[in-house]
Amino acid sequence: MKNYRFSLILFVSFITLFRIWFIANGSLNLSEDEAHYWEWSRNLDLSYYSKGPMVAYIIFIFTSIFGNTELGVRFGAIAVSLGMNLITYLFVSDIFDERKAFYSVILMNIIPLFAAGAILFTIDPPYFFFWCLAIFFTYKAINYDKRWWYAVGIAIGMGLLTKYTMAMFIPLLFAFLLLSRAGSHWVARKEPYLAVVIGLVFFTPVILWNIQHDWVSFRHVAGQAGLADEDIWSLTNSIKNFIEFLGIQIGIITPVIFTGMVYAGYKSVKGFIRERRGLPDFCISGSHPKKISGDDYLFLIIFSIPVLLFFILYSIYSKVQGNWAVTAYFTGLIMTVAVFDEIYKRGKGKFLKTGIILAFIIPILATIIGHSADLLRSSGLTIRHDPTARLKGWDELGNEIGKINNSMNKNTFIFSNRYQIASELAFYVRGQPKVYCANLGRRLNQYDFWQGFDRLTGWDAIYAKYGDGINDPEIDNAFSSCEKVKTFIAYDDGYKQKVFSIFRCYDFKGMEMKRDKVTY
């Protein structure tokens, strides 16, 4: 028997060191959301406009260690990835064996969705981590010791502080308990309910913050979910949203693996039904050292298929972001590895070996391109749509704004009309100054809840906006005069990445938010 544990340590050590080097090397600037969450970490609070506070707290911890650098902001992604590898290995070893655990970890690291989440620290990596941790603790609680239920509650609470959709875990948990044989007795016991209570106690800071801010986070979630739209449904939009969401799901885990997961889901459901009927197991061979029960099938199924189906169906009703279904892929990919490993060991499937090889090669290539499109350019290929374009050019813009700021003759503040630009400038302008975001009728963002620039009357300013255009009338009216300094274009290897208009503005007179146009 191969030493899968030693192989895992080697693999995880190598890929972790590579990620640290890659981030420290500064190949990619912070994404817009990363920069914005870093801004949150500079203004710690009980919660924030669009999300709970967990991402800000984690960034604060690691920037306190590594400084306000790209490595400091992103080290949370590396730490979460390490934790995910450990959870996956222990969980899959518990249900199946170390062989399946090893290949599950490999798959989790090479798929573009999770490879990106191991170097870019947005909401999804910690959210996915706490979801998986809750699954792992739940399996322990049901099969080993009731004290694990308290750990389940903590994991749920930490997940809720990260992303509100962690709440989906609760109905799925009780759906499993109601449908399972070995776990059904827990429905009548206090521990699962205490786990939910513990999770809600952790969530109280978010409730308190929203009480103080007119429940704005919940208004925002309702707006994102399409619940606040008056005329929301049309057949054309439904078809477009459905195809777009499904296409993104296929793309982020690659077509071969997505197809394999659909097949594995079908076989797992079939295996569960056969086991309940007392028929021979399909997925796990009789030589397996641990008898896989129908509850084990159900456990993997219930935390995967319903999540993915929910968002696929919801995309018919409203636009759904491609990352919303990320949690479906933890037990979904484990099912895929388990089913195909058993088929492979039985020697079934004429083209199975080719499919498995492609299942690993395609995501590896996609992940390499995602890390650096320059590799393809160096081989002579033309890249018109660089997937990393959004992560380049911000340091150049920051340097340019910094030069202009140094040339100003009096107190000067920097601002934009988009939180994305404001956050990137706050990070990349020399000295990392406080940057502001004017509300010209856009959707609310976190900048609107911090102290604004109303006290800066008489100051000069530098204003940056997307595109090559004229100044906004609201900005012109807020100053004695404004002039366009330049159109700044960020290039990467000769390819245009971003275009900004930069303005000097003199003698700030003040401006009011257009509250009649504000949305959530």
Side-chain angles (χ1 to χ4, degrees):
M1 182 178 179
K2 293 182 179 179
N3 191 337
Y4 289 107
R5 189 168 299 183
F6 178 71
S7 299
L8 178 77
I9 292 172
L10 286 180
F11 172 76
V12 171
S13 298
F14 169 78
I15 201 164
T16 300
L17 290 173
F18 167 77
R19 285 164 178 162
I20 293 173
W21 169 83
F22 182 81
I23 294 172
N25 190 48
S27 301
L28 300 176
N29 294 161
L30 295 184
S31 68
E32 296 157 346
D33 283 346
E34 285 180 296
H36 195 49
Y37 299 143
W38 169 76
E39 279 276 69
W40 292 9
S41 75
R42 296 208 294 178
N43 300 270
L44 294 181
D45 206 339
L46 292 175
S47 190
Y48 299 90
Y49 163 68
S50 60
K51 303 290 189 303
M54 183 58 67
V55 67
Y57 296 166
I58 295 174
I59 291 175
F60 176 81
I61 290 170
F62 288 113
T63 51
S64 297
I65 298 171
F66 299 104
N68 288 314
T69 62
E70 290 168 350
L71 180 62
V73 174
R74 289 175 169 163
F75 201 86
I78 297 172
V80 164
S81 178
L82 278 171
M84 271 304 309
N85 290 330
L86 178 62
I87 293 170
T88 302
Y89 192 82
L90 294 176
F91 177 60
V92 181
S93 295
D94 207 353
I95 297 182
F96 299 115
D97 53 50
E98 289 192 343
R99 173 187 167 96
K100 292 179 179 61
F102 175 73
Y103 286 112
S104 294
V105 172
I106 298 294
L107 205 58
M108 291 283 185
N109 280 274
I110 64 173
I111 288 176
L113 172 66
F114 299 115
I119 59 171
L120 306 179
F121 194 61
T122 59
I123 290 291
D124 287 325
Y127 166 55
F128 187 74
F129 172 78
F130 290 122
W131 178 280
C132 301
L133 193 64
I135 288 176
F136 177 57
F137 289 157
T138 299
Y139 189 81
K140 289 288 188 182
I142 292 171
N143 293 282
Y144 296 100
D145 191 320
K146 67 179 182 180
R147 288 175 293 186
W148 284 102
W149 281 114
Y150 304 108
V152 173
I154 294 171
I156 291 174
M158 301 287 269
L160 286 170
L161 289 177
T162 308
K163 196 170 184 178
Y164 305 143
T165 46
M166 184 72 194
M168 289 184 67
F169 185 89
I170 298 172
L172 293 175
L173 167 63
F174 283 97
F176 170 77
L177 295 179
L178 289 168
L179 294 172
S180 67
R181 285 176 174 171
S184 58
H185 69 283
W186 287 108
V187 177
R189 298 187 61 174
K190 64 181 180 181
E191 286 81 8
Y193 303 97
L194 285 175
V196 174
V197 171
I198 291 170
L200 294 177
V201 169
F202 271 79
F203 192 61
T204 51
V206 176
I207 300 295
L208 292 174
W209 188 89
N210 274 276
I211 290 174
Q212 298 168 355
H213 295 87
D214 196 27
W215 302 100
V216 68
S217 297
F218 298 93
R219 296 170 185 264
H220 168 71
V221 170
Q224 283 231 307
L227 301 178
D229 293 351
E230 295 179 0
D231 185 17
I232 193 168
W233 190 87
S234 76
L235 181 60
T236 302
N237 285 338
S238 293
I239 294 173
K240 177 185 175 184
N241 291 338
F242 173 80
I243 293 174
E244 181 180 312
F245 178 76
L246 191 60
I248 291 173
Q249 301 314 297
I250 294 171
I252 59 179
I253 68 169
T254 72
V256 174
I257 294 176
F258 187 86
T259 303
M261 194 179 82
V262 171
Y263 179 79
Y266 160 73
K267 286 298 183 182
S268 296
V269 171
K270 184 177 179 180
F272 166 68
I273 295 172
R274 287 174 66 86
E275 194 273 347
R276 282 292 173 89
R277 292 177 176 175
L279 299 174
D281 234 341
F282 169 80
C283 292
I284 308 299
S285 62
S287 61
H288 193 272
K290 177 181 180 291
K291 179 67 172 73
I292 307 302
S293 70
D295 280 356
D296 290 328
Y297 288 126
L298 179 63
F299 195 77
L300 296 177
I301 291 165
I302 206 76
F303 288 104
S304 175
I305 295 175
V307 176
L308 187 58
L309 284 179
F310 172 81
F311 286 113
I312 288 175
L313 293 174
Y314 196 75
S315 69
I316 298 173
Y317 168 75
S318 179
K319 184 174 179 62
V320 176
Q321 300 300 320
N323 62 317
W324 287 6
V326 61
T327 51
Y329 297 116
F330 180 57
T331 56
L333 291 173
I334 291 170
M335 277 194 301
T336 306
V337 170
V339 168
F340 281 93
D341 184 49
E342 285 302 318
I343 296 174
Y344 180 79
K345 286 196 295 187
R346 293 180 180 191
K348 293 184 177 182
K350 186 176 179 181
F351 303 104
L352 181 61
K353 184 176 287 188
T354 301
I356 291 174
I357 292 172
L358 287 174
F360 280 88
I361 290 178
I362 292 175
I364 289 173
L365 290 176
T367 298
I368 290 172
I369 294 171
H371 279 71
S372 179
D374 295 338
L375 292 175
L376 288 183
R377 290 185 185 135
S378 63
S379 64
L381 296 176
T382 300
I383 304 296
R384 293 185 178 275
H385 301 287
D386 184 351
T388 63
R390 295 182 65 181
L391 305 173
K392 296 177 181 178
W394 293 111
D395 53 348
E396 297 176 41
L397 178 65
N399 289 334
E400 187 67 24
I401 296 290
K403 293 176 184 177
I404 298 172
N405 189 36
N406 291 336
S407 69
M408 302 291 276
N409 296 322
K410 59 186 291 190
N411 288 334
T412 303
F413 66 92
I414 300 167
F415 75 114
S416 179
N417 61 339
R418 298 288 187 90
Y419 79 84
Q420 296 92 336
I421 300 176
S423 301
E424 296 281 6
L425 291 179
F427 190 86
Y428 285 107
V429 172
R430 189 178 185 88
Q432 296 181 326
K434 184 173 183 179
V435 177
Y436 301 88
C437 187
N439 195 325
L440 308 182
R442 54 162 170 75
R443 190 177 73 181
L444 289 174
N445 64 50
Q446 186 58 42
Y447 280 104
D448 297 312
F449 298 88
W450 292 329
Q451 189 174 38
F453 44 92
D454 51 297
R455 298 190 305 170
L456 304 180
T457 303
W459 286 40
D460 292 342
I462 302 169
Y463 176 59
K465 60 180 287 189
Y466 282 120
D468 180 10
I470 61 173
N471 200 6
D472 297 293
E474 297 90 343
I475 303 301
D476 271 333
N477 294 334
F479 292 86
S480 295
S481 65
C482 292
E483 61 180 11
K484 187 172 184 178
V485 180
K486 66 187 305 183
T487 298
F488 182 80
I489 302 175
Y491 285 95
D492 176 47
D493 195 24
Y495 290 84
K496 183 188 295 185
Q497 300 291 0
K498 296 180 181 67
V499 180
F500 302 94
S501 293
I502 303 174
F503 301 85
R504 281 195 189 99
C505 299
Y506 302 96
D507 190 20
F508 180 55
K509 297 183 293 185
M511 62 185 300
E512 295 183 1
M513 180 191 303
K514 290 190 172 182
R515 298 190 179 276
D516 58 324
K517 293 184 179 181
V518 169
T519 59
Y520 296 97

